[in-house]
Amino acid sequence: MNILILGAGQVGASLAEALVSEANDITLVDLDAVPLAQLADRLDVRTVTGNAAFPSVLREAGIESADLLVAVTQSDQSNLVACKLAHSRFAVPTRIARLRSADFLDPALLSTENFAVDFALCPEQEISDYIAKLVEYPEALQVVEFAEGRVVMVGVRAYEGGLLVGKPIRAMRDHLPAGVDARIAAIFRDTRAIDANGDTLVQAGDEVFLLAASEHIRTVLKELRRMQKPARKLMIAGAGNVGARVARRLEGQCEVTVIENRAARASLVAGWLDRARVITGEATDENLLIGEDIAETDMFLALTNDDENNIMAASLAKRLGCRRVLALINREAYADMVQGGPIDIGLSPAQVSIGSLLTHVRQADVARVHSLRRGAAEALELVVRGDRRSSQVVGRRIEELPPLRGASIAAVVRSGQVIIPHHDTLIESGDHVIVFCTRKRHIAAVEKLFQPVRSLFSLR
């Protein structure tokens, strides 16, 4: 596929990195030549320096032969203009835009007659929804949903003394109540995926991805984690777009305090919120945190636009007794470095957003994609199409499928029913199959397996 990515920031760079290994031809456009040069050194991509809203720049980037345009610059206006030009002047089949302002998220404005955006991504909303799930499951490192919420996958750290630690994976069934089933989709040990089977022993410190029907996931989590009490007292550092959205989302279920160092912004956000408290101050002020009972706070969320500030504030909150802390970190190198130390979760906004983009880029019929472990792994929800003649998977048991290197089928959703599959589970047309890929280089092979085969008759 010929893909044109406008914007070489965190989202654009992460998307290029995710797609470049999958036999795609990728061109990146940005006003700043420095990040383009850095990406060209690391990745097999073409780069063009210039304004992504200019027809001449788009033409230089090869838009006339593009199959997909992804506009993720820092400017909503540039992204919208680029999509409009891609449709009206260059007939690009698919156009995606990142839009930060809610004013533009109007279906009428995005219609073919206007800005011609096929899919609009709002990063702040995606991140806010993601953080809300982490508050709901305070023991989790990651929480993602499939099949419109019917299936939940949770990444947790196995702890010493857990029911399953030191035992084989197959022993999990011995602890689950009747009618409850689950799957350990993957285990990462010392940052590397291990080839797990029923005889694999779970070790303390393992990062384990558990998958189950949404109504069963809490029961299953008890296998590997001490269940923490739901977060009831929440403190948020930063009243920017993300912080304000999270506060608004959670103020009805938690006692929320927001700390913002800009008095005008604090006053503005306080007017948007009904129950949350907004105070003016620095989240790195030890006396302020102590005065706000940080030791009695269940979760501290550092959500400012400054990585270093977030790391310092979250680390301080943890030292002062907060039960669990999260820091929003744009630089992926920082996120990898801090998680597992005093900071429980280092969250990369780009990696949260990229799943939605990948959902619209993948070659097979993909309903959902989640980027996991900061891009090291991926989980896909694939929709099965065709019949036994046109599909390599329909009407076949899992044990009959070609080996999926670096990937495993974790769940099947059929007519709303969640099935934890075994070797003899039959795949049917219309199934939503959730596949966990621990090695991203094998994703293209997984997609190809689930794509219907066009027969000679269908070509006539």
Side-chain angles (χ1 to χ4, degrees), residues 137 144-146 149-154 172 176 180-185 209-221 410-411 413 418-420 434:
Y137 295 88
V144 295
E145 294 182 338
F146 301 94
R150 289 287 298 118
V151 178
V152 177
M153 180 183 287
V154 179
M172 183 168 65
L176 295 177
V180 175
D181 205 355
R183 168 66 47 81
I184 290 182
F209 282 86
L210 283 161
L211 181 143
S214 56
E215 63 268 24
H216 296 154
I217 192 65
R218 288 199 178 276
T219 300
V220 176
L221 278 172
V413 181
V418 179
I419 301 168
I420 302 299
I434 297 162

Side-chain angles (χ1 to χ4, degrees), residues 258-368:
V258 182
I259 302 173
E260 170 57 50
N261 62 1
R262 298 166 295 172
R265 178 67 182 179
S267 177
L268 179 66
V269 172
W272 295 346
L273 302 172
D274 297 323
R275 302 182 186 179
R277 294 173 58 237
V278 182
I279 60 176
T280 304
E282 294 288 346
T284 52
D285 183 339
E286 183 172 349
N287 291 329
L288 186 150
L289 295 184
I290 292 172
E292 293 297 325
D293 293 327
I294 188 64
E296 303 301 320
T297 298
D298 298 314
M299 203 162 182
F300 180 92
L301 309 175
L303 307 180
T304 76
N305 292 322
D306 187 292
D307 286 359
E308 289 80 3
N309 217 32
N310 288 341
I311 292 170
M312 293 299 295
S315 299
L316 177 61
K318 189 73 170 184
R319 182 173 68 80
L320 294 175
C322 185
R323 194 172 79 189
R324 196 158 176 82
V325 301
L326 176 150
L328 197 65
I329 302 173
N330 285 285
R331 295 181 64 178
E332 290 181 36
Y334 282 7
D336 290 335
M337 179 179 67
V338 303
Q339 184 161 295
I343 294 175
D344 297 296
I345 302 172
L347 186 60
S348 166
Q351 289 303 326
V352 174
S353 301
I354 198 172
S356 293
L357 291 172
L358 291 174
T359 299
H360 295 268
V361 174
R362 295 298 185 206
Q363 297 296 301
D365 192 344
V366 178
R368 198 71 178 95

Side-chain angles (χ1 to χ4, degrees), residues 3-8 11-12 15 29 52-53 58 68-84 86 94-100 117 119-121 123 357:
I3 302 172
L4 182 54
I5 300 174
L6 311 181
V11 174
L15 182 62
V29 178
L58 294 174
L68 169 69
L69 178 127
V70 184
V72 288
T73 74
Q74 297 294 324
S75 166
D76 286 1
Q77 292 87 338
S78 292
N79 294 338
L80 289 169
V81 169
C83 285
K84 179 64 175 177
T94 306
R95 303 155 305 276
I96 297 173
R98 176 174 70 173
L99 299 172
R100 295 176 180 273
V117 176
F119 170 69
L121 169 73
L357 291 172

Side-chain angles (χ1 to χ4, degrees), residues 399-411:
E399 64 187 1
E400 296 177 308
L401 302 181
L404 298 172
R405 293 185 58 202
S408 62
I409 294 178

